[in-house]
Amino acid sequence: MNSTLVLGAVAVWLMLWGTNEYLVRLKPQSAAMARAIGLLVPALFGVAILVLWEGITRGFGVPTILLPPPSMIWARLTASLPLLWADFRQTFLKSVLIGWALGCGLGFIVAILIDRSTFLQKGLLPLGNFVSALPVVGVAPIMVMWFGFDWPSKAAVVVIMTFFPMLVNTVAGLAASGQMERDLMRTYASNYWQTLFKLRLPMAAPFIFNALKINSTLALIGAIVAEFFGTPIVGMGFRISTEVGRADVDMVWAEIAIAALAGSAFYAGIALIERAITFWHPSIRSAGWT
Amino acid sequence: MQGLRDGKTLPVLIVLLALVVIWYLGAVWLNTPWQLDTYQRKSVSDWTATQFVTDTLNQNRPVLPAPHQVAAEMWKTIVETAPNSKRSLLYHAWITLSSTLLGFVMGTGLGIGLAVAILNNKAIDRSLMPWIIASQTIPILAIAPMIIVVLNAVGLSGLIPKALISTYLSFFPVVVGMVKGLRSPEAMQLDLMHTYNASTAQTFFKLRWPSALPYLFASMKVAVAIALVGAIVGELPTGAVAGLGARLLSGSYYGQTVQIWSALFTASAVAAGLVLLVGLAERLTLRRMGART
């Protein structure tokens, strides 16, 4: 045990905590200042966690199989970039993106198709809501059996997982426009499609983007878990399960770091597009670009 | 009859019926190649259409098992097998359910505790909340195999590691929902508590906690569903020992599609039961609180 490292890490942690306590009590004069503090506080917290993690794992000599220090994970990550890139391409660029686009597209199209039939809506919506509570990932072994080991089976799992949230949200969104607005469209003598494109779809956009964001997370989970059921020798889920078996925990952590990064970047990308498209929505107007 | 026609029951039933029909058609279509192959190998040439369809729906290892095959398998493994036998689905469902429930209870407790801490300390709020929200966008489930194997190395196996994954997954929705709920009282209500000279604890228990309960139940429904997913995925890396996830994995190893489908349906039934139970608790609690539901 190396007590200097542990004490040093705890000291840094306490110092950063103190800084944060001071920062949140400040009353910033300008909006830019407030934003900077809003970013600085969580960043400092993240740094504090990393320092504490590093200090404790190194100081107490925690076996690296239990928890490798962050520096070791970083070293492993930078050393095996080509391998990580291949996994990323297989899992994210093929299974996740294709499955996500197909699932969301299908959900959207079906929602538009059943829009005119109250009967189908009444029948499908409770089912769609019900399916969202089910462990849909369980279809992974079936899809692997049907579509083989390569990425199409993972994309199929992702399609099934993302379809229902999109369907339910789009139908809810299409119902979001008020009676008065629809009446106005009627007085303009607009037909069904004009009302759909000029009034109802824009009103549905916040709901649709919500589904897109939920689905971005679901898609990654689906693709990674599906790879546990059989895969070619590349892919993030494959790498995680085999490297765990070989007790190469630092590689697993590097892969998880990549997955986390990809997941949040995916989410953030959709959120940015949402801001650009639904700029008129109150929740975005009031929040500003924070 | 009026209520049946105007309500949701009839449309849902008809859509379900349509799904079953589509399923049967799909089963015939997907199982056709293998059936033709079998006939050729056994040199049966004088098969009729009826016989062909019956045969496609009763294969041993079909590509897509027909609904009645899944139902028969579930009947066999749930009702006819003793619940303590390893062939019983009830046995496996119980193993998954127990770690789900343990994880769910721990996750909800942890989530509520953290939400209270966030409510009372501004530094924790500002530094932790962005990370909690960001962590919802990452595929946390990917860590599951590592947690299992690492805890196995320390000597923890069985229930606890799986429950920890469920805890981890179910605590995020509870934190986010509870923080929102505990902050939901309006300034006017808080001011009223202030005029009553209520202490922070009194405000918490008499105003904030009751108004947070609807949010808590909404998050708990999400949390219990995701806790089950966590428990199922947690059963994969240990190599198919016991539990619904293990049934899925061993079914996929040995090509036992009927077993996969029946495990999947059992898992769905467990999920639906859990969500319904939380919903029931929600209605009872809110009614006792005088909410109009």
Side-chain angles (χ1 to χ4, degrees):
Chain A
M1 179 176 150
N2 189 338
S3 50
T4 357
L5 269 176
V6 178
L7 287 179
V10 170
V12 170
W13 172 54
L14 287 176
M15 205 178 75
L16 289 173
W17 179 295
T19 319
N20 269 352
E21 289 277 1
Y22 167 73
L23 279 177
V24 296
R25 279 176 179 71
L26 283 182
K27 300 224 166 16
Q29 300 300 317
S30 65
M33 192 66 184
R35 231 188 104 192
I37 289 179
L39 286 176
L40 192 61
V41 168
L44 283 182
F45 178 77
V47 171
I49 291 288
L50 282 181
V51 169
L52 204 60
W53 179 353
E54 180 87 30
I56 285 180
T57 43
R58 285 207 188 276
F60 283 112
V62 175
T64 48
I65 177 155
L66 282 188
L67 192 63
S71 56
M72 195 171 149
I73 299 169
W74 177 251
R76 188 64 192 258
L77 198 152
T78 43
S80 42
L81 273 181
L83 193 67
L84 289 170
W85 168 248
D87 291 342
F88 177 77
R89 207 176 48 192
Q90 168 78 12
T91 303
F92 192 83
L93 297 185
K94 288 182 184 165
S95 327
V96 171
L97 279 187
I98 294 176
W100 178 78
L102 276 178
C104 292
L106 268 179
F108 182 75
I109 290 170
V110 172
I112 299 281
L113 286 181
I114 66 168
D115 178 49
R116 282 180 145 172
S117 155
T118 334
F119 184 82
L120 275 180
Q121 281 186 25
K122 275 186 188 170
L124 273 175
L125 271 196
L127 281 183
N129 278 321
F130 175 67
V131 169
S132 67
L134 301 184
V136 190
V137 215
V139 297
I142 299 164
M143 292 302 132
V144 171
M145 232 173 247
W146 286 4
F147 297 103
F149 279 175
D150 212 351
W151 65 268
S153 61
K154 282 77 196 172
V157 176
V158 175
V159 167
I160 296 176
M161 285 182 81
T162 52
F163 173 78
F164 286 103
M166 192 67 193
L167 175 73
V168 171
N169 274 290
T170 310
V171 171
L174 287 175
S177 52
Q179 196 57 48
M180 194 125 73
E181 292 142 341
R182 284 188 220 189
D183 281 350
L184 181 65
M185 292 307 277
R186 254 181 81 81
T187 59
Y188 291 160
S190 60
N191 61 26
Y192 171 80
W193 293 106
Q194 282 170 325
T195 316
L196 185 68
F197 282 111
K198 302 217 158 114
L199 168 68
R200 298 177 63 214
L201 275 183
M203 287 296 270
F207 291 83
I208 294 172
F209 275 105
N210 191 25
L212 288 176
K213 286 194 280 190
I214 297 171
N215 281 344
S216 71
T217 319
L218 284 179
L220 254 177
I221 289 180
I224 290 180
V225 172
E227 286 184 2
F228 295 161
F229 284 97
T231 163
I233 50 161
V234 64
M236 298 165 115
F238 165 80
R239 194 72 58 206
I240 288 172
S241 53
T242 46
E243 298 295 330
V244 159
R246 290 169 51 191
D248 251 348
V249 180
D250 48 344
M251 185 67 196
V252 178
W253 277 99
E255 199 74 62
I256 287 170
I258 297 287
L261 206 62
S264 10
F266 194 12
Y267 191 94
I270 300 169
L272 277 181
I273 299 174
E274 178 182 18
R275 275 171 190 282
I277 290 184
T278 61
F279 57 88
W280 46 269
H281 197 263
S283 71
I284 285 165
R285 268 189 322 197
S286 63
W289 283 80
T290 45
Chain B
M1 208 54 211
Q2 180 80 28
L4 195 67
R5 198 175 62 231
D6 291 343
K8 285 179 176 169
T9 327
L10 188 65
V12 171
L13 283 179
I14 288 184
V15 168
L16 275 179
L17 199 69
L19 281 182
V20 172
V21 171
I22 293 173
W23 187 351
Y24 266 110
L25 292 178
V28 171
W29 181 58
L30 283 170
N31 297 334
T32 295
W34 196 82
Q35 196 60 44
L36 286 177
D37 208 38
T38 322
Y39 282 154
Q40 204 158 27
R41 263 186 286 132
K42 289 181 180 168
S43 52
V44 183
S45 53
D46 53 338
W47 45 271
T48 60
T50 332
Q51 187 198 349
F52 181 76
V53 169
T54 332
D55 282 347
T56 48
L57 295 180
N58 289 299
Q59 291 174 358
N60 259 338
R61 291 181 182 185
V63 180
L64 176 62
H68 68 261
Q69 282 179 296
V70 178
E73 165 86 4
M74 284 178 76
W75 178 263
K76 199 180 87 190
T77 45
I78 290 178
V79 181
E80 290 179 359
T81 319
N84 53 4
S85 149
K86 282 205 169 179
R87 289 174 173 278
S88 166
L89 260 184
L90 274 186
Y91 166 81
H92 292 286
W94 167 246
I95 286 177
T96 307
L97 183 66
S98 55
S99 63
T100 304
L101 286 179
L102 183 62
F104 170 64
V105 169
M106 292 199 296
T108 310
L110 195 65
I112 294 174
L114 206 60
V116 172
I118 284 175
L119 185 76
N120 287 317
N121 184 318
K122 214 176 165 192
I124 296 183
D125 171 29
R126 296 285 289 276
S127 45
L128 209 55
M129 252 339 239
W131 287 102
I132 288 180
I133 292 171
S135 69
Q136 290 204 303
T137 66
I138 65 173
I140 327 169
L141 218 53
I143 313 185
M146 197 177 60
I147 293 178
I148 299 281
V149 172
V150 162
L151 287 183
N152 249 330
V154 201
L156 269 177
S157 61
L159 187 66
I160 304 290
K162 282 189 288 174
L164 280 180
I165 295 172
S166 298
T167 307
Y168 192 48
L169 286 172
S170 57
F171 113 99
F172 289 109
V174 175
V175 176
V176 176
M178 273 309 272
V179 167
K180 209 171 175 182
L182 290 172
R183 288 203 178 129
S184 64
E186 286 164 32
M188 201 149 52
Q189 297 166 318
L190 288 170
D191 282 349
L192 181 65
M193 292 305 277
H194 203 69
T195 60
Y196 290 161
N197 195 20
S199 65
T200 317
Q202 281 171 326
T203 313
F204 181 83
F205 284 110
K206 302 215 154 112
L207 175 62
R208 287 190 189 272
W209 178 256
S211 38
L213 276 181
Y215 293 85
L216 176 64
F217 279 112
S219 333
M220 267 163 60
K221 278 186 204 165
V222 179
V224 81
I226 200 167
L228 181 68
V229 176
I232 290 178
V233 173
E235 281 157 1
L236 298 180
T238 44
V241 185
L244 291 173
R247 292 290 281 185
L248 286 178
L249 194 63
S250 69
S252 101
Y253 277 164
Y254 302 114
Q256 297 285 0
T257 38
V258 185
Q259 182 187 325
I260 298 180
W261 280 94
S262 51
L264 201 56
F265 270 77
T266 316
S268 307
V270 171
L274 287 174
V275 174
L276 281 181
L277 271 182
V278 175
L280 195 69
E282 173 181 25
R283 245 183 300 163
L284 286 179
T285 318
L286 294 188
R287 192 178 297 159
R288 276 199 57 178
M289 282 169 50
R292 268 170 294 176
T293 46

